[in-house]
């Protein structure tokens, strides 16, 4: 990693780059399994310093800055992201293991988040409320103060954009704890924010272990809001720690998202989404569509076509830019292969190919499609977080809804049907934070509120809803006779 334009062993606190008090960690390249570089191991003391730096920013230049100027700075950061998109994509690909094309799309998405929130910063308005004679009542939206952001390893750039971008737009000061497995683009983002003129302390970045830096951030009494994206068990720990300080938490957790394919669906349009929504980033996506529910009239046809698509998938290192890259770690590979072993009694309808020249130490798993899977099977119930997908048959609309809603999760769902009445019925009945009709993901639009129900979490990111979440509503009632 000699070409880095920042020192990955440093943390960014109060506008200053320095070594972490907790020492250093080794960062692994998922494509090879070899050590890539060393990174900072942020400690509780480093988190404490970052929180105090954020508090200082709120009483300093950042806290006095107008919404208009905050927006201009975010827009400038977005422009810098675009100028260095290829470098950021290379970092993300090496760090996470995702193919270069997918990493490049993430860099562009980060810029788009910053453009959106830069433009929205001065467009969050209060309202006047008709009340008793002799009163004027109005509302204000104000920042929480110091916000903590615990970002996972699967989509660092995108989640920084939708979380930190929204918080800064509302005038909060942020402490960002990126995942220890993939923190390079978070550090690069801090460098670009510094270059764009973001006041010292408005953004602080402290990589480190979740049990150390992450736990310290979750429990810190100086933090007024926590945004966490990650697993259900860790999300519960974060929420419990924040509850001790009576701090609100936005949780974006796991998913077991279904796509429902009816007999009247346009299969040519559906097929790329049926497969692509699962295997992107090697299936390491909270909103991955790991379940496909298919009506029996087209079931055999859909399984055959999906199986063919799976057999055409090629797996290799990130810089080969194939369909699928490695999993993030040996531990994640162990988890996914464990689930594959549980599918030993199921029918494999299609499987991708790991290329012969893929580095032996890389964490590769062949994408696998199982058909005729019972709805209560572990592969149909649990979030695997790997390139594993199941196909489940159904007969009636009622049965499809029961199966779709039959997990602990509720993040995303999709309906493939040309029947408009059915589309509207299912949009209401499916238990999910987002429902897509004849598509999946809607191109990932930054304007579209995103979040889940059940064990998929609560609160909303993206769009204007994220800005509302990163603000506190204040009511002012003036009595004037």
């Amino acid at each position: 990693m000699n070409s880095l334009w920042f020192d990955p062993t440093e943390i960014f606190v109060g506008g200053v780059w320095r070594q972490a008090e907790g020492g250093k960690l080794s960062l692994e390249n998922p494509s090879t399994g070899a050590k890539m570089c060393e990174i900072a191991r942020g400690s509780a003391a480093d988190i404490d310093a970052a929180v105090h730096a954020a508090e200082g920013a709120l009483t300093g230049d950042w806290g006095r800055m107008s919404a208009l100027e905050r927006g201009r700075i975010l827009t400038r950061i977005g422009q810098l992201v675009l100028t260095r998109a290829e470098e950021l994509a290379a970092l993300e690909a090496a760090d996470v293991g995702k193919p270069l094309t997918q990493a490049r799309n993430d860099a562009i998405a980060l810029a788009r988040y910053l453009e959106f929130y830069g433009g929205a910063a001065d467009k969050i308005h209060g309202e006047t409320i008709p009340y008793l004679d002799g009163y004027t009542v109005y509302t204000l939206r104000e920042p929480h103060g110091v916000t903590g952001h615990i970002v996972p390893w699967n989509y660092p750039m995108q989640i920084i954009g939708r979380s930190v971008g929204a918080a800064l737009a509302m005038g909060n000061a942020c402490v960002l704890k990126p995942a220890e497995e993939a923190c390079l683009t978070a550090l690069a983002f801090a460098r670009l924010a510094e270059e764009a003129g973001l006041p010292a302390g408005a953004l602080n970045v402290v990589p480190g272990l979740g049990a150390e830096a992450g736990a310290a951030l979750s429990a810190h009494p100086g933090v007024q809001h926590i945004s966490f994206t990650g697993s259900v068990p860790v999300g519960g720990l974060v929420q419990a720690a924040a509850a001790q300080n009576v701090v609100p938490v936005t949780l974006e957790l796991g998913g077991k998202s279904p796509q429902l394919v009816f007999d009247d669906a346009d299969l040519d349009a559906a097929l790329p989404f049926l497969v692509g929504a699962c295997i992107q980033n090697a299936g390491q996506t909270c909103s991955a569509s790991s379940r496909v529910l298919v009506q029996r009239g087209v079931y055999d046809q859909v399984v055959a076509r999906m199986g063919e698509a799976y057999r055409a998938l090629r797996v290799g290192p990130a810089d080969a830019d194939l369909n699928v890259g490695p999993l993030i770690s040996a531990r994640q590979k162990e988890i996914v292969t464990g689930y594959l072993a549980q599918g030993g009694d199921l029918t494999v309808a299609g499987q991708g190919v790991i290329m012969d020249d893929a580095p032996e130490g890389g964490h590769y798993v062949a994408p696998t499609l199982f058909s005729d899977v019972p709805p209560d099977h572990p592969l149909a119930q649990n979030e695997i977080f790997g390139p594993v997908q199941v196909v489940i048959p159904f007969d009636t609309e009622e049965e499809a809804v029961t199966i779709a809603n039959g997990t602990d999760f509720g993040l995303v769902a999709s309906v493939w049907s040309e029947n408009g009445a059915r589309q509207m019925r299912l949009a209401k009945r499916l238990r999910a934070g987002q429902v897509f009709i004849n598509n999946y993901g809607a191109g990932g639009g930054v304007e579209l509120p995103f979040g889940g129900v059940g064990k998929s979490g609560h609160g909303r990111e993206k769009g204007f809803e994220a800005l509302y979440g990163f603000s506190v509503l204040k009511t002012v009632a003036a009595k004037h006779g």
Side-chain angles (χ1 to χ4, degrees), residues 3 30 59 128 188 268 283 300 309 311 337 351 354 370 382 429 454 469 477:
S3 61
T59 58
T128 57
D268 290 334
D300 290 342
R311 288 186 289 274
T337 54
Q351 192 167 55
I354 300 173
F370 292 99
N382 300 334
R429 296 190 64 194

Side-chain angles (χ1 to χ4, degrees), residues 313-327:
L313 294 174
R314 296 295 177 262
V315 184
D319 57 7
D321 206 17
L322 302 175
N323 307 108
V324 179
L327 298 174

Side-chain angles (χ1 to χ4, degrees), residues 451-464:
V453 297
K455 288 190 176 178
S456 288
H458 52 73
R460 293 296 178 263
E461 296 182 304
K462 303 173 64 171
F464 274 79

Side-chain angles (χ1 to χ4, degrees), residues 132-350:
L132 301 175
D133 185 40
Y135 283 86
T136 296
V137 180
Y138 60 93
T139 61
L140 302 171
R141 283 207 171 268
E142 300 177 338
H144 287 284
V146 178
T147 55
H149 304 258
I150 302 176
V151 172
W153 45 259
N154 57 342
Y155 288 92
M157 285 194 286
Q158 287 217 35
I159 296 173
I160 288 169
R162 76 191 195 197
S163 174
V164 173
L168 290 174
M170 283 306 308
N172 298 280
C174 302
V175 179
L176 168 61
K177 206 299 283 186
E180 61 268 25
E181 298 92 342
C183 64
L184 296 181
T185 48
L187 295 167
F189 176 76
R191 182 68 79 183
L192 296 180
E194 182 183 27
E195 184 179 340
L198 187 68
L203 172 66
N204 307 273
V205 182
V206 182
L209 297 173
E212 296 174 357
L217 182 58
S218 302
H220 199 290
V223 175
Q224 282 83 47
H225 184 282
I226 295 284
S227 174
F228 172 83
T229 301
S231 69
V232 174
V234 178
L237 294 175
V238 169
Q239 184 164 262
Q244 300 306 306
N245 297 315
V246 197
V247 169
V249 179
T250 298
L251 295 178
E252 198 271 279
L253 306 177
K256 197 66 182 173
S257 301
Q259 298 193 64
L260 283 60
V261 184
F262 288 86
D263 288 346
D264 64 339
D266 182 342
L267 297 185
D268 290 334
L271 187 66
F273 292 91
L274 299 181
V275 175
C278 179
I279 58 93
Q280 183 179 3
N281 197 25
Q284 299 167 124
T285 305
C286 294
S287 57
S289 174
S290 53
R291 294 186 295 158
V292 178
L293 284 51
V294 185
Q295 201 163 23
R296 289 193 190 274
V298 292
Y299 182 81
D300 290 342
Q301 182 182 355
V302 170
V303 169
R305 295 183 65 174
M306 289 184 68
E308 181 181 4
Y310 262 78
R311 288 186 289 274
L313 294 174
R314 296 295 177 262
V315 184
D319 57 7
D321 206 17
L322 302 175
N323 307 108
V324 179
L327 298 174
I328 188 68
S329 64
R331 173 60 180 152
Q332 189 62 27
K333 179 179 178 179
E334 180 183 352
I335 292 171
V336 174
T337 54
Y339 274 110
L340 287 171
Q342 293 186 56
D345 58 337
L346 301 174
T347 301
V348 176

Side-chain angles (χ1 to χ4, degrees), residues 46 219 402:
D46 293 315
T402 300

